[in-house]
Amino acid sequence: MNDFSQADFDVRVEWGAPAIEHLAAEADCIVIIDVMSFSTCVSVAGERGGMIFPYPWKDASAQQFAAENDAECAQFDRRFQGQGFTLSPCSLLNMTAGTRLVLPSPNGSALTFKAKAHKAAIFTACFRNLTATARACEKYRQILIVPAGEKWPDNSLRPALEDFAAAGGLVSRLSHRRLSAEARAARAVYQHLTRAELERCGSARELNRRGFAADIALCLEEDVSDLACQFQGRYFTAHR
């Protein structure tokens, strides 16, 4: 135990890869939150009966990983709907049941790869399935919620407001548990931030500039799915 472990609390919140490296060993449930867009993609695919295989690298090894798992590999660059599966959640709206998709992502996927080295159950959550995820987490004693954040050009962590707000939304549904100060801070952000404000956050502004306003709307829908998304060894599936 150290000063930063939040070990005295049932529900903890810490950012990105350092959270996995320093806090995951003491958790029996890890929830990774990457709203724009990995976690939303997993939710959308899960609602349609798809399986998402996370993969951290956008290179030829992703294609090999897909072949090894009898899966399709998503396009590395976000593209408009109708041009194949990508990290655009809208590109997954027409996914059919049973689809096996490798989704390379430097944030949500990379964190999942780190987390699977530990014994904890792993979930990914977004605004779309906060209540369902909270329900699935109830049986676990120590819950670590990890807002993924994004990357600056120098590869350092850029805390992403939408991830912190969604983490707070999950905390608010677990408020009867012992909450760390960090978890309470995330809850306060969720309770006092409007959807209109989230639509103007940095990540949303970037997507809007690139023409993906429909993705923003999809990512900010709240509790439209009653399915939690859990990692099953190599892939995420959705369940009640």
Side-chain angles (χ1 to χ4, degrees):
M1 183 187 301
N2 60 52
D3 295 334
F4 305 102
S5 68
Q6 305 174 46
D8 294 336
F9 304 96
D10 298 340
V11 181
R12 315 164 191 183
V13 173
E14 190 54 76
W15 284 98
I20 305 298
E21 293 165 8
H22 300 292
L23 278 70
E26 297 177 349
D28 53 6
C29 174
I30 300 169
V31 185
I32 295 166
I33 298 182
D34 181 4
V35 170
M36 296 184 185
S37 300
F38 176 80
S39 296
T40 303
C41 284
V42 175
S43 177
V44 170
E47 291 164 21
R48 287 150 182 79
M51 292 165 279
I52 295 294
F53 292 74
Y55 196 73
W57 301 291
K58 294 182 176 183
D59 57 25
S61 66
Q63 300 282 357
Q64 179 62 35
F65 182 73
E68 292 170 357
N69 288 280
D70 191 27
E72 179 180 351
C73 187
Q75 302 284 344
F76 294 161
D77 297 321
R78 186 187 297 257
R79 300 182 182 185
F80 292 103
Q81 194 171 355
Q83 297 181 318
F85 296 132
T86 73
L87 266 172
S88 164
C90 286
S91 76
L92 308 182
L93 288 172
N94 294 323
M95 178 178 282
T96 57
T99 298
R100 299 163 64 90
L101 180 68
V102 171
L103 192 59
S105 156
N107 300 308
S109 279
L111 291 179
T112 303
F113 255 58
K114 284 183 175 293
K116 70 179 186 177
H118 299 275
K119 296 179 180 180
I122 302 170
F123 295 85
T124 185
C126 58
F127 284 108
R128 297 176 60 85
N129 62 355
L130 291 175
T131 297
T133 304
R135 185 172 60 243
C137 290
E138 281 288 4
K139 64 183 179 181
Y140 299 101
R141 186 170 60 89
Q142 294 181 317
I143 302 166
L144 173 61
I145 302 172
V146 184
E150 301 289 340
K151 297 289 196 305
W152 288 110
D154 67 358
N155 209 42
S156 62
L157 173 70
R158 176 178 72 78
L161 182 60
E162 69 279 6
D163 293 348
F164 198 55
L170 183 55
V171 172
S172 74
R173 290 157 171 82
L174 296 166
S175 287
H176 57 288
R177 306 288 289 271
R178 294 181 304 157
L179 309 179
S180 70
E182 291 82 355
R184 290 176 183 273
R187 182 181 62 177
V189 168
Y190 168 76
Q191 290 173 338
H192 292 92
L193 201 64
T194 66
R195 173 165 173 161
E197 289 168 327
L198 283 171
E199 289 171 345
R200 297 191 295 272
C201 74
S203 299
R205 290 169 66 90
E206 179 193 23
L207 289 180
N208 193 55
R209 174 181 55 80
R210 294 171 59 194
F212 292 97
D215 277 346
I216 300 169
L218 199 61
C219 289
L220 296 182
E221 290 180 330
E222 188 164 333
D223 272 344
V224 295
S225 173
D226 62 353
L227 302 176
C229 299
Q230 185 171 6
F231 189 64
Q232 306 287 350
R234 286 201 167 190
Y235 53 85
F236 281 100
T237 57
H239 62 85
R240 287 182 174 82

